[in-house]
Amino acid sequence: MLACHFAQGSLTLTSAELAVDYGRGGGDIDSVTASGDVVITRTGTPPDVARAPRATDTPGSGKIVMTGGVTLTRAGHTLRGERLDYTVATGQAVLTG
């Protein structure tokens, strides 16, 4: 199975499907919606790996929202929830559900 890849700074998103919304005028990316075994990897200290069935990245906001049974692994610890709000620049993660 081929995978789709999307990179933004120190973050890489891989998924089975990827839809990009360029918004008005077709210039900047408004949002990227990934589905099907979504994996987000962020290099840094600590490195993060998050997995979920679906994710939406809005590059203008610097945030990614993952939904549908999320697993976040950071510094050897694994957390699970239904929704992850992730700030790309800082690595701040808020897991709920």
Coordinates of all heavy atoms in Angstrom, one line a residue:
M1 N 0.8 -1.2 0.0 CA 0.0 0.0 0.0 C 0.9 1.2 0.0 O 1.8 1.4 0.8 CB -0.9 0.0 1.2 CG -1.7 1.2 1.4 SD -2.7 1.2 3.0 CE -4.2 1.5 2.3
L2 N 0.6 2.2 -0.9 CA 1.3 3.4 -0.9 C 0.8 4.3 0.2 O -0.3 4.3 0.6 CB 1.1 4.1 -2.3 CG 1.6 3.3 -3.5 CD1 1.3 4.1 -4.8 CD2 3.1 3.2 -3.4
A3 N 1.7 5.2 0.7 CA 1.4 6.1 1.7 C 1.6 7.5 1.2 O 2.4 7.8 0.4 CB 2.3 5.9 2.9
C4 N 0.8 8.4 1.8 CA 0.9 9.8 1.5 C 1.7 10.5 2.6 O 1.6 10.1 3.7 CB -0.5 10.5 1.5 SG -1.7 9.8 0.3
H5 N 2.5 11.5 2.2 CA 3.4 12.2 3.1 C 3.2 13.7 3.0 O 3.0 14.2 2.0 CB 4.9 11.9 2.9 CG 5.2 10.5 3.0 ND1 5.5 9.9 4.2 CD2 5.3 9.5 2.0 CE1 5.8 8.6 4.0 NE2 5.7 8.3 2.7
F6 N 3.2 14.3 4.2 CA 3.1 15.8 4.3 C 4.1 16.2 5.3 O 4.1 15.7 6.5 CB 1.7 16.2 4.7 CG 1.5 17.7 4.8 CD1 1.4 18.5 3.8 CD2 1.4 18.2 6.1 CE1 1.2 19.9 3.9 CE2 1.2 19.6 6.3 CZ 1.1 20.4 5.2
A7 N 5.0 17.2 5.0 CA 6.0 17.6 6.0 C 5.8 19.1 6.2 O 5.5 19.9 5.3 CB 7.4 17.4 5.4
Q8 N 6.0 19.5 7.5 CA 5.9 20.9 7.9 C 6.9 21.1 9.0 O 6.7 20.7 10.2 CB 4.5 21.1 8.4 CG 4.2 22.5 9.0 CD 2.8 22.7 9.5 OE1 1.9 21.9 9.1 NE2 2.6 23.6 10.4
G9 N 8.0 21.7 8.7 CA 9.1 21.9 9.7 C 9.6 20.5 10.2 O 10.0 19.7 9.4
S10 N 9.6 20.3 11.5 CA 10.1 19.1 12.1 C 9.1 18.0 12.2 O 9.3 17.0 12.8 CB 10.6 19.4 13.5 OG 9.6 19.9 14.4
L11 N 7.9 18.2 11.6 CA 6.8 17.3 11.7 C 6.6 16.6 10.3 O 6.6 17.3 9.3 CB 5.6 18.1 12.1 CG 4.3 17.2 12.3 CD1 3.7 17.6 13.6 CD2 3.4 17.5 11.1
T12 N 6.3 15.3 10.4 CA 5.9 14.6 9.2 C 4.6 13.8 9.4 O 4.5 13.2 10.5 CB 7.0 13.5 8.8 OG1 8.3 14.2 8.6 CG2 6.7 12.8 7.6
L13 N 3.7 13.9 8.5 CA 2.4 13.2 8.6 C 2.4 12.2 7.5 O 2.7 12.5 6.3 CB 1.3 14.3 8.4 CG -0.1 13.7 8.6 CD1 -1.0 14.9 9.1 CD2 -0.7 13.3 7.2
T14 N 2.0 11.0 7.8 CA 1.9 9.9 6.9 C 0.5 9.3 7.0 O 0.0 9.1 8.1 CB 2.9 8.8 7.1 OG1 4.2 9.4 7.1 CG2 2.8 7.7 6.0
S15 N -0.2 9.0 5.9 CA -1.5 8.4 6.0 C -1.8 7.7 4.7 O -1.1 7.8 3.7 CB -2.6 9.5 6.2 OG -2.6 10.4 5.1
A16 N -3.0 7.0 4.7 CA -3.4 6.3 3.5 C -4.0 7.3 2.5 O -3.8 7.1 1.3 CB -4.4 5.2 3.8
E17 N -4.7 8.3 2.9 CA -5.3 9.3 2.1 C -5.0 10.7 2.6 O -4.9 10.9 3.8 CB -6.8 9.1 2.0 CG -7.2 7.8 1.4 CD -8.7 7.6 1.3 OE1 -9.5 8.7 1.3 OE2 -9.2 6.5 1.2
L18 N -4.9 11.6 1.7 CA -4.6 13.0 2.0 C -5.3 13.9 1.1 O -5.3 13.8 -0.1 CB -3.1 13.2 1.9 CG -2.4 14.4 2.6 CD1 -2.5 14.3 4.1 CD2 -0.9 14.4 2.2
A19 N -6.1 14.9 1.7 CA -6.8 15.9 0.9 C -6.3 17.2 1.3 O -6.3 17.6 2.5 CB -8.3 15.7 1.2
V20 N -6.0 18.1 0.3 CA -5.5 19.4 0.6 C -6.5 20.4 0.1 O -6.9 20.4 -1.0 CB -4.1 19.6 -0.1 CG1 -3.6 21.0 0.1 CG2 -3.1 18.5 0.3
D21 N -6.8 21.4 1.0 CA -7.7 22.5 0.6 C -6.9 23.7 0.5 O -6.3 24.2 1.5 CB -8.8 22.6 1.7 CG -9.8 23.8 1.4 OD1 -9.7 24.3 0.3 OD2 -10.5 24.1 2.3
Y22 N -6.8 24.3 -0.7 CA -6.0 25.5 -1.0 C -6.8 26.8 -0.7 O -6.3 27.8 -0.8 CB -5.5 25.5 -2.4 CG -4.4 24.5 -2.6 CD1 -4.6 23.2 -3.1 CD2 -3.1 24.8 -2.2 CE1 -3.6 22.3 -3.2 CE2 -2.0 23.9 -2.4 CZ -2.3 22.7 -2.8 OH -1.3 21.8 -3.0
G23 N -8.1 26.7 -0.5 CA -8.9 27.8 -0.2 C -9.1 28.7 -1.4 O -8.9 28.3 -2.5
R24 N -9.4 30.0 -1.2 CA -9.6 30.9 -2.3 C -8.4 31.3 -3.0 O -7.4 31.5 -2.4 CB -10.3 32.2 -1.7 CG -11.7 31.9 -1.2 CD -12.3 33.2 -0.6 NE -13.5 32.8 0.0 CZ -14.6 33.6 0.0 NH1 -14.6 34.7 -0.7 NH2 -15.7 33.2 0.6
G25 N -8.4 31.3 -4.3 CA -7.3 31.7 -5.1 C -6.3 30.6 -5.3 O -5.4 30.8 -6.1
G26 N -6.3 29.5 -4.6 CA -5.4 28.4 -4.8 C -4.0 28.6 -4.4 O -3.1 27.9 -4.8
G27 N -3.7 29.6 -3.6 CA -2.4 29.9 -3.2 C -1.9 29.1 -2.0 O -1.5 28.0 -2.1
D28 N -2.1 29.7 -0.8 CA -1.7 29.0 0.5 C -2.6 27.9 0.8 O -3.8 27.9 0.5 CB -1.7 30.0 1.6 CG -0.6 31.1 1.4 OD1 0.4 30.8 0.7 OD2 -0.8 32.2 2.0
I29 N -2.1 26.9 1.6 CA -2.9 25.8 2.0 C -3.7 26.2 3.2 O -3.2 26.7 4.2 CB -2.0 24.6 2.4 CG1 -1.2 24.0 1.2 CG2 -2.8 23.5 3.1 CD1 -0.2 23.0 1.5
D30 N -5.0 26.0 3.1 CA -5.9 26.3 4.3 C -5.9 25.1 5.3 O -5.9 25.3 6.4 CB -7.4 26.5 3.8 CG -7.6 27.9 3.3 OD1 -6.6 28.8 3.4 OD2 -8.6 28.2 2.7
S31 N -6.0 23.9 4.7 CA -6.0 22.7 5.6 C -5.6 21.5 4.9 O -5.7 21.4 3.6 CB -7.4 22.5 6.2 OG -8.4 22.1 5.2
V32 N -5.1 20.5 5.6 CA -4.8 19.2 5.1 C -5.5 18.2 6.0 O -5.4 18.2 7.2 CB -3.3 18.9 5.2 CG1 -2.9 17.5 4.7 CG2 -2.5 20.0 4.4
T33 N -6.3 17.3 5.3 CA -7.1 16.3 6.1 C -6.5 14.9 5.7 O -6.5 14.6 4.5 CB -8.6 16.4 5.7 OG1 -9.0 17.7 6.1 CG2 -9.4 15.3 6.5
A34 N -6.1 14.2 6.7 CA -5.5 12.9 6.5 C -6.4 11.8 7.1 O -7.1 12.0 8.1 CB -4.2 12.8 7.1
S35 N -6.5 10.7 6.4 CA -7.3 9.6 6.9 C -6.7 8.3 6.6 O -5.9 8.1 5.6 CB -8.8 9.6 6.4 OG -8.8 9.6 5.0
G36 N -7.0 7.3 7.4 CA -6.5 5.9 7.2 C -5.1 5.8 7.8 O -4.1 6.1 7.1
D37 N -5.0 5.2 9.0 CA -3.7 5.0 9.7 C -2.8 6.2 9.6 O -1.7 6.2 9.1 CB -3.0 3.8 9.1 CG -1.9 3.3 10.0 OD1 -1.9 3.5 11.2 OD2 -1.0 2.7 9.4
V38 N -3.3 7.3 10.2 CA -2.5 8.5 10.2 C -1.4 8.4 11.3 O -1.7 8.1 12.5 CB -3.4 9.7 10.6 CG1 -2.6 11.0 10.6 CG2 -4.6 9.8 9.5
V39 N -0.2 8.8 10.9 CA 0.9 8.8 11.9 C 1.6 10.1 11.7 O 2.0 10.5 10.6 CB 2.0 7.7 11.6 CG1 3.1 7.7 12.5 CG2 1.3 6.3 11.6
I40 N 1.8 10.8 12.9 CA 2.5 12.1 12.9 C 3.7 11.9 13.7 O 3.7 11.4 14.9 CB 1.6 13.2 13.5 CG1 0.4 13.5 12.6 CG2 2.4 14.4 13.8 CD1 -0.5 14.5 13.1
T41 N 4.9 12.3 13.2 CA 6.1 12.1 13.9 C 6.8 13.5 13.9 O 6.8 14.2 12.9 CB 7.1 11.2 13.1 OG1 6.4 10.0 12.9 CG2 8.4 11.0 13.9
R42 N 7.2 13.9 15.1 CA 7.8 15.2 15.3 C 9.2 14.9 16.0 O 9.3 14.3 17.0 CB 7.0 16.1 16.3 CG 7.7 17.4 16.5 CD 6.8 18.3 17.5 NE 7.5 19.5 17.8 CZ 8.1 19.7 19.0 NH1 8.3 18.7 19.8 NH2 8.7 20.8 19.2
T43 N 10.2 15.4 15.3 CA 11.6 15.3 15.9 C 11.8 16.4 16.9 O 11.1 17.4 16.8 CB 12.7 15.4 14.8 OG1 12.5 16.6 14.1 CG2 12.5 14.2 13.8
G44 N 12.6 16.2 17.8 CA 12.8 17.2 18.8 C 13.0 16.6 20.2 O 13.2 15.4 20.3
T45 N 13.0 17.4 21.2 CA 13.1 16.9 22.5 C 11.9 17.2 23.4 O 11.7 18.4 23.6 CB 14.4 17.5 23.2 OG1 15.5 17.2 22.4 CG2 14.7 16.9 24.6
P46 N 11.1 16.3 23.7 CA 11.2 14.8 23.3 C 10.5 14.6 22.0 O 9.7 15.4 21.6 CB 10.3 14.1 24.4 CG 9.3 15.2 24.8 CD 10.0 16.5 24.7
P47 N 10.9 13.6 21.3 CA 10.3 13.3 20.0 C 8.9 12.7 20.3 O 8.6 12.1 21.3 CB 11.2 12.2 19.4 CG 11.9 11.6 20.5 CD 12.0 12.6 21.6
D48 N 8.0 13.0 19.4 CA 6.6 12.5 19.5 C 6.2 11.7 18.4 O 6.6 11.9 17.2 CB 5.6 13.7 19.5 CG 5.8 14.6 20.7 OD1 6.2 14.1 21.8 OD2 5.6 15.9 20.6
V49 N 5.3 10.7 18.6 CA 4.7 9.9 17.6 C 3.2 9.8 18.0 O 2.9 9.3 19.1 CB 5.3 8.5 17.4 CG1 4.5 7.7 16.4 CG2 6.8 8.6 17.1
A50 N 2.3 10.2 17.1 CA 0.9 10.1 17.4 C 0.2 9.4 16.3 O 0.6 9.5 15.1 CB 0.3 11.5 17.5
R51 N -0.8 8.5 16.6 CA -1.5 7.7 15.6 C -3.0 7.9 15.9 O -3.4 7.9 17.0 CB -1.1 6.2 15.8 CG 0.3 5.9 15.5 CD 0.6 4.4 15.8 NE 2.0 4.1 15.5 CZ 2.5 3.8 14.4 NH1 1.7 3.7 13.3 NH2 3.8 3.6 14.2
A52 N -3.7 7.9 14.7 CA -5.2 8.0 14.8 C -5.8 7.7 13.4 O -5.0 7.7 12.4 CB -5.6 9.4 15.2
P53 N -7.1 7.5 13.3 CA -7.7 7.2 12.1 C -7.8 8.5 11.2 O -7.9 8.4 10.0 CB -9.1 6.7 12.4 CG -9.0 6.2 13.8 CD -7.9 7.1 14.5
R54 N -7.8 9.7 11.8 CA -8.1 10.9 11.1 C -7.3 12.1 11.8 O -7.2 12.1 13.0 CB -9.6 11.2 11.1 CG -10.0 12.4 10.3 CD -11.5 12.5 10.3 NE -12.0 13.7 9.7 CZ -12.2 14.0 8.4 NH1 -11.9 13.0 7.5 NH2 -12.6 15.1 8.0
A55 N -6.9 13.0 10.9 CA -6.2 14.2 11.4 C -6.5 15.4 10.5 O -6.6 15.2 9.2 CB -4.7 14.0 11.6
T56 N -6.6 16.6 11.0 CA -6.7 17.8 10.2 C -5.7 18.8 10.7 O -5.6 19.1 11.9 CB -8.1 18.4 10.4 OG1 -9.1 17.5 10.0 CG2 -8.3 19.7 9.5
D57 N -4.9 19.2 9.7 CA -3.8 20.1 10.0 C -4.2 21.5 9.3 O -4.5 21.5 8.1 CB -2.5 19.6 9.4 CG -1.3 20.5 9.6 OD1 -1.4 21.6 10.2 OD2 -0.2 20.2 9.1
T58 N -4.2 22.5 10.1 CA -4.4 23.9 9.6 C -3.1 24.6 9.7 O -2.8 25.2 10.8 CB -5.6 24.6 10.3 OG1 -5.4 24.5 11.7 CG2 -6.9 24.0 9.9
P59 N -2.2 24.6 8.7 CA -0.9 25.2 8.8 C -0.9 26.7 9.3 O 0.0 27.1 10.0 CB -0.3 25.1 7.4 CG -1.0 24.0 6.8 CD -2.4 24.0 7.4
G60 N -1.9 27.5 8.9 CA -2.0 28.9 9.4 C -2.2 29.0 10.9 O -1.7 30.0 11.5
S61 N -2.8 28.0 11.5 CA -3.0 28.1 13.0 C -1.8 27.4 13.7 O -1.7 27.6 14.9 CB -4.3 27.4 13.3 OG -4.2 26.0 13.2
G62 N -1.1 26.5 13.0 CA 0.0 25.8 13.7 C -0.5 24.7 14.5 O 0.2 24.2 15.4
K63 N -1.8 24.2 14.3 CA -2.3 23.2 15.1 C -2.8 22.0 14.3 O -3.3 22.2 13.1 CB -3.5 23.7 15.9 CG -3.1 24.7 16.9 CD -4.2 25.1 17.9 CE -3.7 26.2 18.8 NZ -3.4 25.8 20.1
I64 N -2.8 20.8 14.9 CA -3.3 19.6 14.2 C -4.3 19.0 15.2 O -4.0 18.9 16.4 CB -2.2 18.6 13.9 CG1 -1.2 19.2 13.0 CG2 -2.7 17.3 13.4 CD1 0.1 18.3 12.7
V65 N -5.4 18.6 14.7 CA -6.4 17.9 15.5 C -6.5 16.5 15.0 O -6.8 16.2 13.8 CB -7.8 18.6 15.5 CG1 -8.8 17.8 16.2 CG2 -7.7 20.0 16.0
M66 N -6.3 15.5 15.9 CA -6.4 14.1 15.5 C -7.6 13.5 16.3 O -7.8 13.9 17.4 CB -5.2 13.3 15.9 CG -3.9 13.8 15.2 SD -2.4 12.8 15.7 CE -2.6 11.5 14.5
T67 N -8.4 12.7 15.6 CA -9.6 12.1 16.2 C -9.8 10.6 15.9 O -9.2 10.1 15.0 CB -10.9 12.9 15.7 OG1 -10.9 12.8 14.3 CG2 -10.9 14.3 16.2
G68 N -10.7 10.0 16.8 CA -11.1 8.7 16.5 C -10.3 7.6 17.1 O -10.1 6.5 16.6
G69 N -9.8 7.8 18.3 CA -9.0 6.8 19.0 C -7.5 7.1 18.8 O -6.9 6.6 17.9
V70 N -7.0 8.0 19.5 CA -5.6 8.6 19.3 C -4.6 7.9 20.3 O -5.0 7.7 21.5 CB -5.6 10.1 19.6 CG1 -4.2 10.6 19.3 CG2 -6.6 10.8 18.7
T71 N -3.4 7.6 19.9 CA -2.4 7.1 20.7 C -1.2 8.1 20.6 O -0.7 8.3 19.4 CB -1.9 5.7 20.3 OG1 -3.0 4.8 20.4 CG2 -0.8 5.2 21.2
L72 N -0.7 8.6 21.7 CA 0.5 9.5 21.7 C 1.6 8.9 22.5 O 1.4 8.5 23.6 CB 0.1 10.9 22.3 CG 1.2 11.9 22.5 CD1 1.9 12.3 21.2 CD2 0.7 13.1 23.3
T73 N 2.7 8.8 21.9 CA 3.9 8.2 22.5 C 5.0 9.4 22.6 O 5.3 9.9 21.6 CB 4.5 7.0 21.8 OG1 3.5 6.0 21.7 CG2 5.7 6.5 22.6
R74 N 5.4 9.6 23.9 CA 6.4 10.7 24.1 C 7.2 10.2 25.3 O 6.8 9.9 26.3 CB 5.6 12.0 24.5 CG 6.6 13.1 24.9 CD 5.9 14.3 25.3 NE 5.4 15.1 24.1 CZ 4.7 16.2 24.2 NH1 4.3 16.7 25.3 NH2 4.4 16.8 23.0
A75 N 8.5 10.3 25.1 CA 9.5 10.0 26.1 C 9.3 8.6 26.8 O 9.3 8.5 28.0 CB 9.6 11.1 27.2
G76 N 8.9 7.6 26.0 CA 8.6 6.3 26.5 C 7.3 6.1 27.1 O 7.0 5.0 27.6
H77 N 6.4 7.1 27.2 CA 5.1 7.0 27.8 C 4.1 7.0 26.7 O 4.2 7.8 25.7 CB 4.9 8.1 28.7 CG 5.9 8.2 29.8 ND1 5.8 7.4 30.9 CD2 6.9 9.0 30.0 CE1 6.8 7.6 31.7 NE2 7.5 8.6 31.2
T78 N 3.0 6.2 26.8 CA 2.0 6.1 25.8 C 0.7 6.5 26.5 O 0.3 6.0 27.5 CB 1.8 4.7 25.2 OG1 3.1 4.3 24.6 CG2 0.7 4.6 24.2
L79 N 0.0 7.5 25.8 CA -1.3 8.0 26.3 C -2.3 7.7 25.2 O -2.0 7.7 24.0 CB -1.2 9.5 26.6 CG -0.1 9.9 27.6 CD1 0.0 11.4 27.5 CD2 -0.5 9.4 28.9
R80 N -3.6 7.5 25.6 CA -4.7 7.2 24.7 C -5.9 8.1 25.0 O -6.2 8.4 26.1 CB -5.1 5.7 24.7 CG -4.0 4.8 24.2 CD -4.5 3.4 24.2 NE -3.4 2.5 23.6 CZ -2.3 2.1 24.2 NH1 -2.1 2.5 25.5 NH2 -1.5 1.3 23.6
G81 N -6.6 8.5 23.9 CA -7.8 9.3 24.1 C -8.5 9.4 22.7 O -8.1 8.8 21.7
E82 N -9.6 10.1 22.7 CA -10.4 10.2 21.5 C -10.0 11.4 20.6 O -10.3 11.4 19.5 CB -11.9 10.3 21.9 CG -12.5 9.0 22.3 CD -12.3 7.9 21.2 OE1 -12.7 8.2 20.0 OE2 -11.8 6.8 21.5
R83 N -9.4 12.4 21.3 CA -9.0 13.6 20.5 C -7.7 14.2 21.0 O -7.5 14.2 22.2 CB -10.1 14.7 20.7 CG -9.8 16.0 20.0 CD -10.9 17.0 20.2 NE -10.4 18.4 19.8 CZ -11.0 19.1 18.8 NH1 -12.0 18.6 18.2 NH2 -10.5 20.2 18.5
L84 N -6.9 14.6 20.1 CA -5.6 15.2 20.4 C -5.5 16.5 19.7 O -5.7 16.6 18.5 CB -4.4 14.3 19.9 CG -3.0 14.9 20.1 CD1 -2.6 15.0 21.6 CD2 -2.0 14.1 19.3
D85 N -5.3 17.6 20.5 CA -5.0 18.9 19.9 C -3.5 19.1 20.1 O -3.0 19.2 21.2 CB -5.8 20.0 20.7 CG -7.3 19.9 20.4 OD1 -7.8 20.5 19.4 OD2 -8.0 19.2 21.2
Y86 N -2.8 19.3 19.0 CA -1.4 19.3 19.0 C -0.9 20.6 18.4 O -1.2 21.0 17.3 CB -0.9 18.1 18.2 CG 0.6 17.9 18.3 CD1 1.1 17.1 19.3 CD2 1.5 18.4 17.4 CE1 2.5 16.9 19.4 CE2 2.9 18.2 17.5 CZ 3.3 17.4 18.5 OH 4.7 17.2 18.6
T87 N 0.0 21.3 19.1 CA 0.6 22.6 18.6 C 2.0 22.2 18.0 O 2.8 21.7 18.7 CB 0.8 23.6 19.8 OG1 -0.5 23.8 20.3 CG2 1.3 24.9 19.2
V88 N 2.1 22.4 16.7 CA 3.3 22.0 16.0 C 4.6 22.7 16.5 O 5.6 22.0 16.8 CB 3.1 22.3 14.5 CG1 4.4 21.9 13.7 CG2 1.9 21.5 14.0
A89 N 4.6 24.0 16.7 CA 5.8 24.7 17.1 C 6.3 24.3 18.4 O 7.6 24.2 18.6 CB 5.5 26.2 17.1
T90 N 5.5 24.0 19.4 CA 5.9 23.8 20.8 C 5.8 22.3 21.2 O 6.4 21.9 22.2 CB 5.0 24.6 21.8 OG1 3.7 24.1 21.7 CG2 5.1 26.0 21.5
G91 N 5.0 21.5 20.4 CA 4.8 20.1 20.8 C 3.8 19.9 21.9 O 3.6 18.9 22.5
Q92 N 3.1 21.0 22.3 CA 2.1 20.9 23.4 C 1.0 20.0 22.8 O 0.5 20.2 21.7 CB 1.6 22.3 23.7 CG 0.5 22.2 24.8 CD -0.2 23.5 25.1 OE1 0.0 24.5 24.4 NE2 -0.9 23.6 26.2
A93 N 0.6 19.1 23.7 CA -0.4 18.1 23.3 C -1.5 18.1 24.4 O -1.2 17.9 25.5 CB 0.2 16.7 23.1
V94 N -2.7 18.2 23.9 CA -3.9 18.1 24.8 C -4.7 16.9 24.4 O -5.3 17.0 23.3 CB -4.7 19.4 24.9 CG1 -5.9 19.2 25.8 CG2 -3.9 20.6 25.3
L95 N -4.8 15.9 25.2 CA -5.5 14.6 24.8 C -6.7 14.6 25.7 O -6.7 14.7 26.9 CB -4.5 13.4 25.1 CG -4.9 12.1 24.6 CD1 -5.0 12.1 23.1 CD2 -3.9 11.1 25.0
T96 N -7.9 14.3 25.0 CA -9.1 14.3 25.8 C -9.9 13.0 25.4 O -9.7 12.4 24.3 CB -10.0 15.5 25.5 OG1 -10.2 15.7 24.1 CG2 -9.4 16.7 26.1
G97 N -10.9 12.7 26.2 CA -11.7 11.5 25.9 C -11.2 10.3 26.4 O -10.9 9.3 26.0

